[in-house]
Amino acid sequence: MDENKHITLSDVRERFSQDRFATVNGAVIEEVDDGYAKCSMQLQASHRNALGAVMGGAIFTLADFAFAVAANWNQNPQVSLEASISFLGKAKGECLIAEAKRIKQGKRTCYYAIEVRDELQNQVAYMTSNGFAV
């Protein structure tokens, strides 16, 4: 990680600003560390479904973005091979927070766990993602 000490959070945010779908939908990088990323999304009316709950696609987008940041900000590019998400509960707050943590890093593949909560600490979703180094 020593070679990455000169990389600032602003640098990481600039790099991932090109991840247009996530950023246009409000995903923001809050923290990074080796094999880790914390991202947030302020909830808007456009994130909600007809029942008023947060749309599953919005939750998945934030979780997938957190995986992408954690797996790519300081190493060779990795793309998702498979992602599995379980929706655990309703977001009761106004902000979603996703934390991606690396579980395993191999030569060509990786495995991450991503927890999504609201700012009130309500569990919203749990996702796992396998990645492949391209």
Side-chain angles (χ1 to χ4, degrees), residues 51-104:
L51 300 175
V54 179
M55 190 82 154
I59 297 165
F60 183 89
T61 295
L62 181 62
D64 188 54
F65 184 62
F67 160 75
V69 174
N72 287 289
W73 79 268
N74 66 340
Q75 55 192 13
N76 293 329
Q78 299 187 62
V79 296
S80 182
L81 287 173
E82 175 187 28
S84 177
I85 192 165
S86 294
F87 298 103
L88 303 174
K90 184 177 179 181
K92 296 177 181 146
E94 297 301 317
C95 180
L96 291 180
I97 300 154
E99 288 188 86
K101 298 176 185 173
R102 181 175 55 220
I103 305 299
K104 173 82 170 140

Side-chain angles (χ1 to χ4, degrees), residues 2 8-9 15 21 25 40 42 48 55 59 68-69 82 85-86 88 90 92-93 129:
D2 290 338
T8 67
L9 185 57
R15 176 177 176 194
F21 189 80
N25 281 287
S40 68
Q42 286 296 127
R48 300 197 181 271
M55 190 82 154
I59 297 165
V69 174
E82 175 187 28
I85 192 165
S86 294
L88 303 174
K90 184 177 179 181
K92 296 177 181 146
S129 189

Side-chain angles (χ1 to χ4, degrees), residues 34-36 67 70-72 75-76 78-79 81-82 100-114 126-133:
D34 190 38
Y36 173 83
F67 160 75
N72 287 289
Q75 55 192 13
N76 293 329
Q78 299 187 62
V79 296
L81 287 173
E82 175 187 28
K101 298 176 185 173
R102 181 175 55 220
I103 305 299
K104 173 82 170 140
Q105 181 68 51
K107 290 180 183 179
R108 299 286 289 178
T109 62
C110 61
Y111 187 77
Y112 280 76
I114 304 94
Y126 188 83
M127 185 171 103
T128 56
S129 189
N130 291 324
F132 180 76

